[in-house]
Amino acid sequence: MTFVATLIAHPEDKHLTGGIAADIAHALGGEHFEWLAAGIAADIPLNAEPDDFDDAWELAQSNRADLVIQPATGRRKKVLLADMDSTMIEQECIDELADVAGVGERVVEITARAMNGELDFEDALRERVGLLKGLDATVIQQVLKERITLTSGGHELLATMRANGGYAALVSGGFTDFTSAVAQTLGFDENRANTLIQKDGKLTGETGTPILGREAKVDALNDITKRLGLTPDDVIAVGDGANDLGMLKLAGRGVALHAKPAVAAQCNTRLNFADLTGLLYVQGYSRAMFAQ
């Protein structure tokens, strides 16, 4: 079996040199590299899986680049399964709502612990939503308009995968008020999330049940692949929190993107510097193949 190592930097850096790529290729036992995007990403063909990945990884990280090694065949996936908060967008929506509600510090603390796997996700979600009781529902649209920003590379990721016949699902432990807007903006085929219950124009402090958490994301992966006549190996999944670990481990390629330390430690594919276009380079797309 042949393998390929992919070296990826953030596209705004464009600092990868041929010398860096050649050094990492040599460290892995490769003879040459091929640019996917000059200064940003390169493939290194390998005749065998290297024994010294850790040293090559550290070398890449010291040069502000990520390194992924996988079999050369089967790297192109047919389904994208993505988390939303701190993955497809740069914020945690519930933290932004809480900040407007005046309970931001408390909620941010709970969110951080839950995403790092220190708290039960469902219990943590109920506690945080409870702190939003009485918040005017119009704040949701205000937060969407004024505080939510898309993670760079999302448009290219969605457009390119869909242009190549891929299916994209946004599966979030957040809320449908946000996932529906983000899904529409980026071009996801479907979105799944929790619901914030409202009454008389205000949040009740409750969320609909069952709560979409770690197991629900796994269920979504299985449901979608079964419906499309595919297998989990056909999926590339991306997320950053502990509630994403189930789908990241089940997917053919699970990508921990700028993930919490406890999450990154359990994933073989870690992108600490790349943006969302890194998922395209991992699949072997060159920059010239990106759709807009």
Side-chain angles (χ1 to χ4, degrees), residues 194-227:
N194 296 300
T195 56
L196 285 170
I197 297 177
Q198 304 176 20
K199 184 177 181 181
D200 299 327
K202 296 185 181 298
L203 302 186
T204 67
E206 301 168 304
T207 182
T209 57
I211 289 177
L212 194 155
R214 175 170 173 159
E215 290 307 313
K217 293 193 177 192
V218 171
D219 292 342
L221 188 155
N222 286 324
D223 174 57
I224 291 168
T225 52
K226 182 178 180 180
R227 189 175 76 229

Tab-separated table of all heavy atoms in Angstrom, residues 194-227:
chain	number	residue	atom	x	y	z
A	194	ASN	N	-30.100	21.766	17.903
A	194	ASN	CA	-31.103	21.863	18.958
A	194	ASN	C	-31.989	23.076	18.736
A	194	ASN	O	-31.662	23.968	17.951
A	194	ASN	CB	-30.403	21.962	20.322
A	194	ASN	CG	-29.620	20.702	20.646
A	194	ASN	OD1	-30.180	19.617	20.729
A	194	ASN	ND2	-28.310	20.842	20.815
A	195	THR	N	-33.115	23.116	19.424
A	195	THR	CA	-34.042	24.241	19.299
A	195	THR	C	-34.128	25.007	20.607
A	195	THR	O	-34.171	24.418	21.687
A	195	THR	CB	-35.457	23.764	18.910
A	195	THR	OG1	-35.903	22.800	19.876
A	195	THR	CG2	-35.451	23.129	17.535
A	196	LEU	N	-34.135	26.327	20.491
A	196	LEU	CA	-34.365	27.197	21.638
A	196	LEU	C	-35.858	27.467	21.718
A	196	LEU	O	-36.453	28.013	20.781
A	196	LEU	CB	-33.604	28.518	21.462
A	196	LEU	CG	-32.086	28.480	21.670
A	196	LEU	CD1	-31.468	29.794	21.216
A	196	LEU	CD2	-31.756	28.206	23.122
A	197	ILE	N	-36.476	27.077	22.800
A	197	ILE	CA	-37.923	27.250	22.946
A	197	ILE	C	-38.245	28.705	23.286
A	197	ILE	O	-37.607	29.316	24.150
A	197	ILE	CB	-38.483	26.300	24.017
A	197	ILE	CG1	-38.256	24.840	23.577
A	197	ILE	CG2	-39.969	26.556	24.254
A	197	ILE	CD1	-38.697	23.812	24.587
A	198	GLN	N	-39.245	29.232	22.574
A	198	GLN	CA	-39.663	30.619	22.776
A	198	GLN	C	-41.138	30.676	23.157
A	198	GLN	O	-41.935	29.833	22.744
A	198	GLN	CB	-39.447	31.437	21.489
A	198	GLN	CG	-38.035	31.408	20.961
A	198	GLN	CD	-37.897	32.137	19.636
A	198	GLN	OE1	-38.732	32.976	19.268
A	198	GLN	NE2	-36.839	31.827	18.898
A	199	LYS	N	-41.477	31.693	23.925
A	199	LYS	CA	-42.871	31.947	24.283
A	199	LYS	C	-43.060	33.442	24.473
A	199	LYS	O	-42.279	34.080	25.188
A	199	LYS	CB	-43.260	31.198	25.559
A	199	LYS	CG	-44.741	31.348	25.917
A	199	LYS	CD	-45.099	30.530	27.152
A	199	LYS	CE	-46.588	30.675	27.470
A	199	LYS	NZ	-46.963	29.896	28.687
A	200	ASP	N	-44.058	33.977	23.784
A	200	ASP	CA	-44.353	35.410	23.864
A	200	ASP	C	-43.129	36.257	23.523
A	200	ASP	O	-42.876	37.307	24.155
A	200	ASP	CB	-44.871	35.782	25.260
A	200	ASP	CG	-46.160	35.061	25.624
A	200	ASP	OD1	-46.968	34.813	24.699
A	200	ASP	OD2	-46.352	34.735	26.809
A	201	GLY	N	-42.361	35.793	22.541
A	201	GLY	CA	-41.231	36.572	22.065
A	201	GLY	C	-39.985	36.517	22.921
A	201	GLY	O	-39.040	37.282	22.691
A	202	LYS	N	-39.975	35.630	23.895
A	202	LYS	CA	-38.812	35.522	24.768
A	202	LYS	C	-38.371	34.065	24.900
A	202	LYS	O	-39.170	33.151	24.715
A	202	LYS	CB	-39.116	36.105	26.156
A	202	LYS	CG	-39.413	37.605	26.143
A	202	LYS	CD	-39.586	38.145	27.540
A	202	LYS	CE	-39.914	39.632	27.518
A	202	LYS	NZ	-38.801	40.421	26.907
A	203	LEU	N	-37.095	33.860	25.208
A	203	LEU	CA	-36.582	32.514	25.430
A	203	LEU	C	-37.064	32.014	26.779
A	203	LEU	O	-37.042	32.750	27.772
A	203	LEU	CB	-35.054	32.499	25.382
A	203	LEU	CG	-34.394	32.995	24.078
A	203	LEU	CD1	-32.887	32.774	24.141
A	203	LEU	CD2	-34.984	32.303	22.860
A	204	THR	N	-37.495	30.758	26.808
A	204	THR	CA	-38.034	30.185	28.050
A	204	THR	C	-36.945	29.604	28.952
A	204	THR	O	-37.227	29.218	30.083
A	204	THR	CB	-39.040	29.064	27.736
A	204	THR	OG1	-38.340	27.964	27.126
A	204	THR	CG2	-40.148	29.564	26.819
A	205	GLY	N	-35.730	29.524	28.420
A	205	GLY	CA	-34.663	28.896	29.189
A	205	GLY	C	-34.645	27.384	29.016
A	205	GLY	O	-33.980	26.677	29.773
A	206	GLU	N	-35.370	26.905	28.017
A	206	GLU	CA	-35.450	25.469	27.750
A	206	GLU	C	-35.062	25.183	26.306
A	206	GLU	O	-35.165	26.046	25.431
A	206	GLU	CB	-36.873	24.962	27.994
A	206	GLU	CG	-37.391	25.195	29.407
A	206	GLU	CD	-38.880	24.947	29.524
A	206	GLU	OE1	-39.636	25.578	28.760
A	206	GLU	OE2	-39.266	24.127	30.355
A	207	THR	N	-34.625	23.960	26.075
A	207	THR	CA	-34.302	23.509	24.728
A	207	THR	C	-35.142	22.287	24.400
A	207	THR	O	-35.538	21.533	25.298
A	207	THR	CB	-32.804	23.167	24.590
A	207	THR	OG1	-32.525	22.764	23.244
A	207	THR	CG2	-32.388	22.065	25.543
A	208	GLY	N	-35.441	22.126	23.122
A	208	GLY	CA	-36.228	20.975	22.716
A	208	GLY	C	-35.494	19.674	22.977
A	208	GLY	O	-34.264	19.650	23.096
A	209	THR	N	-36.242	18.611	23.079
A	209	THR	CA	-35.651	17.296	23.308
A	209	THR	C	-36.023	16.350	22.164
A	209	THR	O	-37.037	16.555	21.501
A	209	THR	CB	-36.129	16.699	24.650
A	209	THR	OG1	-37.563	16.641	24.647
A	209	THR	CG2	-35.652	17.552	25.810
A	210	PRO	N	-35.221	15.307	21.922
A	210	PRO	CA	-33.962	15.010	22.612
A	210	PRO	C	-32.869	15.990	22.222
A	210	PRO	O	-32.887	16.556	21.127
A	210	PRO	CB	-33.632	13.599	22.143
A	210	PRO	CG	-34.245	13.518	20.775
A	210	PRO	CD	-35.527	14.307	20.871
A	211	ILE	N	-31.910	16.207	23.108
A	211	ILE	CA	-30.811	17.118	22.835
A	211	ILE	C	-29.833	16.465	21.864
A	211	ILE	O	-29.479	15.302	22.003
A	211	ILE	CB	-30.096	17.497	24.150
A	211	ILE	CG1	-31.012	18.415	24.986
A	211	ILE	CG2	-28.765	18.185	23.878
A	211	ILE	CD1	-30.446	18.785	26.336
A	212	LEU	N	-29.434	17.243	20.862
A	212	LEU	CA	-28.470	16.757	19.884
A	212	LEU	C	-27.071	16.950	20.463
A	212	LEU	O	-26.579	18.064	20.576
A	212	LEU	CB	-28.615	17.511	18.557
A	212	LEU	CG	-27.905	16.912	17.340
A	212	LEU	CD1	-28.589	17.340	16.049
A	212	LEU	CD2	-26.423	17.296	17.297
A	213	GLY	N	-26.454	15.847	20.848
A	213	GLY	CA	-25.109	15.881	21.421
A	213	GLY	C	-24.209	14.923	20.689
A	213	GLY	O	-24.346	14.697	19.482
A	214	ARG	N	-23.277	14.315	21.419
A	214	ARG	CA	-22.269	13.448	20.812
A	214	ARG	C	-22.881	12.269	20.068
A	214	ARG	O	-22.551	12.010	18.905
A	214	ARG	CB	-21.314	12.939	21.902
A	214	ARG	CG	-20.287	11.940	21.401
A	214	ARG	CD	-19.232	11.664	22.453
A	214	ARG	NE	-18.331	10.590	22.048
A	214	ARG	CZ	-17.111	10.399	22.544
A	214	ARG	NH1	-16.663	11.214	23.470
A	214	ARG	NH2	-16.365	9.404	22.134
A	215	GLU	N	-23.797	11.534	20.697
A	215	GLU	CA	-24.374	10.354	20.063
A	215	GLU	C	-25.252	10.724	18.873
A	215	GLU	O	-25.326	9.996	17.882
A	215	GLU	CB	-25.160	9.537	21.082
A	215	GLU	CG	-24.281	8.848	22.106
A	215	GLU	CD	-23.181	8.010	21.462
A	215	GLU	OE1	-23.499	7.243	20.531
A	215	GLU	OE2	-22.014	8.131	21.875
A	216	ALA	N	-25.912	11.882	18.966
A	216	ALA	CA	-26.768	12.315	17.864
A	216	ALA	C	-25.945	12.635	16.619
A	216	ALA	O	-26.416	12.457	15.495
A	216	ALA	CB	-27.592	13.529	18.287
A	217	LYS	N	-24.720	13.088	16.820
A	217	LYS	CA	-23.857	13.352	15.667
A	217	LYS	C	-23.436	12.037	15.000
A	217	LYS	O	-23.357	11.952	13.778
A	217	LYS	CB	-22.637	14.165	16.097
A	217	LYS	CG	-22.993	15.580	16.538
A	217	LYS	CD	-21.767	16.473	16.669
A	217	LYS	CE	-22.169	17.889	17.029
A	217	LYS	NZ	-21.075	18.863	16.888
A	218	VAL	N	-23.179	11.033	15.822
A	218	VAL	CA	-22.877	9.702	15.287
A	218	VAL	C	-24.091	9.157	14.544
A	218	VAL	O	-23.965	8.602	13.440
A	218	VAL	CB	-22.468	8.743	16.424
A	218	VAL	CG1	-22.373	7.304	15.910
A	218	VAL	CG2	-21.149	9.178	17.041
A	219	ASP	N	-25.265	9.335	15.136
A	219	ASP	CA	-26.500	8.877	14.485
A	219	ASP	C	-26.706	9.580	13.152
A	219	ASP	O	-27.152	8.965	12.172
A	219	ASP	CB	-27.704	9.130	15.392
A	219	ASP	CG	-27.701	8.252	16.634
A	219	ASP	OD1	-26.983	7.231	16.642
A	219	ASP	OD2	-28.414	8.592	17.604
A	220	ALA	N	-26.387	10.868	13.110
A	220	ALA	CA	-26.538	11.629	11.863
A	220	ALA	C	-25.615	11.066	10.785
A	220	ALA	O	-26.025	10.901	9.622
A	220	ALA	CB	-26.229	13.105	12.104
A	221	LEU	N	-24.379	10.755	11.154
A	221	LEU	CA	-23.440	10.175	10.192
A	221	LEU	C	-23.973	8.860	9.649
A	221	LEU	O	-23.977	8.636	8.425
A	221	LEU	CB	-22.077	9.981	10.860
A	221	LEU	CG	-20.900	9.563	9.961
A	221	LEU	CD1	-19.575	9.993	10.580
A	221	LEU	CD2	-20.876	8.061	9.698
A	222	ASN	N	-24.445	8.003	10.542
A	222	ASN	CA	-24.966	6.700	10.103
A	222	ASN	C	-26.230	6.853	9.260
A	222	ASN	O	-26.407	6.150	8.257
A	222	ASN	CB	-25.256	5.823	11.319
A	222	ASN	CG	-23.986	5.288	11.962
A	222	ASN	OD1	-23.015	4.984	11.276
A	222	ASN	ND2	-23.986	5.163	13.282
A	223	ASP	N	-27.100	7.761	9.661
A	223	ASP	CA	-28.352	7.979	8.947
A	223	ASP	C	-28.097	8.498	7.535
A	223	ASP	O	-28.682	8.015	6.554
A	223	ASP	CB	-29.222	8.960	9.735
A	223	ASP	CG	-30.481	9.350	8.977
A	223	ASP	OD1	-31.249	8.449	8.604
A	223	ASP	OD2	-30.707	10.563	8.760
A	224	ILE	N	-27.223	9.478	7.430
A	224	ILE	CA	-26.958	10.100	6.133
A	224	ILE	C	-26.270	9.122	5.183
A	224	ILE	O	-26.641	9.010	4.003
A	224	ILE	CB	-26.118	11.378	6.318
A	224	ILE	CG1	-26.969	12.459	7.005
A	224	ILE	CG2	-25.590	11.890	4.978
A	224	ILE	CD1	-26.172	13.648	7.496
A	225	THR	N	-25.279	8.397	5.673
A	225	THR	CA	-24.585	7.457	4.791
A	225	THR	C	-25.502	6.321	4.359
A	225	THR	O	-25.478	5.899	3.192
A	225	THR	CB	-23.326	6.879	5.471
A	225	THR	OG1	-23.664	6.344	6.762
A	225	THR	CG2	-22.277	7.956	5.641
A	226	LYS	N	-26.347	5.854	5.267
A	226	LYS	CA	-27.290	4.787	4.900
A	226	LYS	C	-28.253	5.283	3.843
A	226	LYS	O	-28.540	4.590	2.862
A	226	LYS	CB	-28.041	4.310	6.136
A	226	LYS	CG	-29.017	3.170	5.850
A	226	LYS	CD	-29.711	2.705	7.125
A	226	LYS	CE	-30.688	1.573	6.840
A	226	LYS	NZ	-31.373	1.117	8.081
A	227	ARG	N	-28.747	6.497	4.024
A	227	ARG	CA	-29.710	7.074	3.079
A	227	ARG	C	-29.101	7.250	1.689
A	227	ARG	O	-29.775	7.086	0.676
A	227	ARG	CB	-30.197	8.420	3.617
A	227	ARG	CG	-31.356	9.011	2.837
A	227	ARG	CD	-31.858	10.283	3.504
A	227	ARG	NE	-30.975	11.411	3.250
A	227	ARG	CZ	-30.515	12.226	4.190
A	227	ARG	NH1	-30.794	12.019	5.459
A	227	ARG	NH2	-29.750	13.242	3.864
